[in-house]
């Protein structure tokens, strides 16, 4: 763990990754890559292992170097869109409670996916959608570049030092750190290198996230006795 860059006691805006952080899409991603691999006559398990550590275009370069990468990407996008329409998705425990307690001006989504898929997944899981979503089409460089998180902060009108990033993956953690933000890791048995705090699950982090968030309903909503 390393020290948090923010001022002591400062409230934070929260920037959430989506897949693996708020929504459990592991089985969906594995299924999509399996179908994609079968279409190209490849071993699904081998392709999925490559896809876990590389971006799609890099995956194609490794597993089908002789095929047109744009054609491969179009096939993958077709399968991903179909999965959003028909697949079964689940939000991680605590996600609904957490997002419902946050006002729109206090948080954003920062994803390597595309906004229409995020909206589709949120609709299927009943999660509220914030006013700001930074997706793959929003920036020229994705995670681990700091660009996605810096853009989200700019759209929120927040300084990077006043932002809290919630991530599950190494590339996302590095993106948040390079942006000069506080980064907390969730949904992993061991801490990702560099995170300022680690929680085994999103549920474990809910109270702490709300405690450092400005204007959360947990702070502003009067109790029944008031």
């Amino acid at each position: 763990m390393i020290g948090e860059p923010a001022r002591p006691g400062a409230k934070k805006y929260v920037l959430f990754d989506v897949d693996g952080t708020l929504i459990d899409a592991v089985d969906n991603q594995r299924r999509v890559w399996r179908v994609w691999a079968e279409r190209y006559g490849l071993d699904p398990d081998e392709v999925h292992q490559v896809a876990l550590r590389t971006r799609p275009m890099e995956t194609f370069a490794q597993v089908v170097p002789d095929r047109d990468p744009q054609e491969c990407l179009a096939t993958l996008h077709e399968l991903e869109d179909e999965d959003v329409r028909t697949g079964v998705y689940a939000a991680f425990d605590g996600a609904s409670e957490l997002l419902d307690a946050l006002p729109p001006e206090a948080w954003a989504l920062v994803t390597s996916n595309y906004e229409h898929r995020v909206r589709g997944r949120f609709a299927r899981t009943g999660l509220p959608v914030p006013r700001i979503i930074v997706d793959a089409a929003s920036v020229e460089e994705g995670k681990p570049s700091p660009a996605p998180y810096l853009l989200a902060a700019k759209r929120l009108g927040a300084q990077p030092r006043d932002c809290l990033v919630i991530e599950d993956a190494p590339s996302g953690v590095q993106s948040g750190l390079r942006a000069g933000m506080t980064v907390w890791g969730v949904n992993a048995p061991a801490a990702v290198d560099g995170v300022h705090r680690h929680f085994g699950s999103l549920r474990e982090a809910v109270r702490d996230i709300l405690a450092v968030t400005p204007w959360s309903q947990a702070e502003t909503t009067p109790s029944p006795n008031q």
Side-chain angles (χ1 to χ4, degrees), residues 13-25:
Y13 297 80
V14 189
L15 310 180
F16 293 97
D17 174 50
V18 178
D19 294 338
T21 298
L22 295 172
I23 292 181
D24 186 353

Side-chain angles (χ1 to χ4, degrees), residues 77-110:
H77 283 176
E78 173 191 331
L79 294 172
E80 289 179 326
D81 287 344
E82 177 62 23
D83 185 72
V84 170
R85 291 190 294 269
T86 63
V88 176
Y89 285 90
F92 282 106
D93 183 29
S96 181
E97 172 190 335
L98 174 57
L99 300 186
D100 283 339
L102 297 174
E105 62 269 28
W107 65 289
L109 300 176
V110 182

Side-chain angles (χ1 to χ4, degrees), residues 61-210:
Q62 289 193 40
V63 301
V64 281
D66 57 332
R67 301 298 294 261
D68 179 0
Q70 292 301 324
E71 171 206 317
C72 296
L73 186 63
T75 301
L76 181 65
H77 283 176
E78 173 191 331
L79 294 172
E80 289 179 326
D81 287 344
E82 177 62 23
D83 185 72
V84 170
R85 291 190 294 269
T86 63
V88 176
Y89 285 90
F92 282 106
D93 183 29
S96 181
E97 172 190 335
L98 174 57
L99 300 186
D100 283 339
L102 297 174
E105 62 269 28
W107 65 289
L109 300 176
V110 182
T111 176
S112 298
N113 213 317
Y114 289 88
E115 182 171 347
H116 71 280
R117 294 192 195 118
V118 171
R119 289 185 177 277
R121 292 177 178 182
F122 271 49
R124 294 177 68 82
T125 55
L127 295 178
V129 179
R131 62 183 180 87
I132 294 174
I133 300 176
V134 173
D135 71 345
S138 302
V139 292
E140 292 185 4
E141 294 184 346
K143 304 172 186 178
S145 163
Y149 280 112
L150 288 174
L151 179 58
K154 181 179 180 179
R155 289 181 176 177
L156 281 171
Q159 294 296 317
R161 65 182 180 181
D162 292 327
C163 292
L164 171 62
V165 170
I166 308 299
E167 271 279 1
D168 74 297
S171 62
V173 169
Q174 287 302 310
S175 178
L177 292 174
R178 291 174 183 177
M181 300 175 179
T182 300
V183 182
W184 290 359
V186 298
N187 297 334
V192 175
D193 287 347
V195 294
H196 297 101
R197 293 185 66 183
H198 168 68
F199 300 86
S201 68
L202 180 65
R203 162 56 65 190
E204 294 174 21
V206 169
R207 179 176 296 182
D208 293 73
I209 294 171
L210 292 179

